[in-house]
């Protein structure tokens, strides 16, 4: 009887741990904040940004003159911030254009 109680307790703890770990990982994803200028230096991130973003978020009224977009790269949420002019350059540039200095 002691063995049965022990295995039931272990099963209960295992299920509780699994449930908590799944809930925690979904509600607390790993995220990184980066500027658009730095993001444009990473070819994989640039490719993902072109796949996941469009210019719709730039048409929202914004008093700070900075716009932030969110993309996912290999399970990491990337918050990318840039000015309107930087974003317009990003969307008009090809994937092989060099990053402008300035």
């Amino acid at each position: 009887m002691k063995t049965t109680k022990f295995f039931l307790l272990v099963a209960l703890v295992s299920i509780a741990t699994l449930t908590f770990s799944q809930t925690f990982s979904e509600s607390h994803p790993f995220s990184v904040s980066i500027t658009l200028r730095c993001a444009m230096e990473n070819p994989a991130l640039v490719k993902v940004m072109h796949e996941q973003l469009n210019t719709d978020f730039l048409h929202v009224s914004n008093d700070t003159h900075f716009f932030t977009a969110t993309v996912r790269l290999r399970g990491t949420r990337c918050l990318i911030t840039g000015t309107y002019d930087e974003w317009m350059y990003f969307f008009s540039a090809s994937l092989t254009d060099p990053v402008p200095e300035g």
Side-chain angles (χ1 to χ4, degrees), residues 53-62 67-69 80 82 87 91:
L53 297 177
N54 59 33
T55 58
D56 290 344
F57 72 98
L58 297 174
H59 302 298
V60 177
S61 177
N62 189 344
F67 296 87
T68 302
I80 303 162
W87 280 110
F91 284 114

Side-chain angles (χ1 to χ4, degrees), residues 3 5 7-8 20 25 36 56-57 63 70-71 76 79 84-86 88-89 91 101-102:
T3 307
K5 286 182 183 180
F7 284 116
L8 285 174
F20 177 73
S25 66
L36 180 57
D56 290 344
F57 72 98
D63 295 332
T70 303
V71 296
T76 301
L79 304 171
Y84 181 82
D85 292 334
E86 289 173 335
M88 291 313 293
Y89 174 80
F91 284 114
E101 295 296 324

Side-chain angles (χ1 to χ4, degrees), residues 36-57:
L36 180 57
R37 187 174 302 277
C38 291
M40 289 177 68
E41 295 174 1
N42 182 334
L45 186 54
V46 169
K47 183 174 186 245
V48 168
M49 289 165 56
H50 275 289
E51 292 171 355
Q52 297 180 16
L53 297 177
N54 59 33
T55 58
D56 290 344
F57 72 98

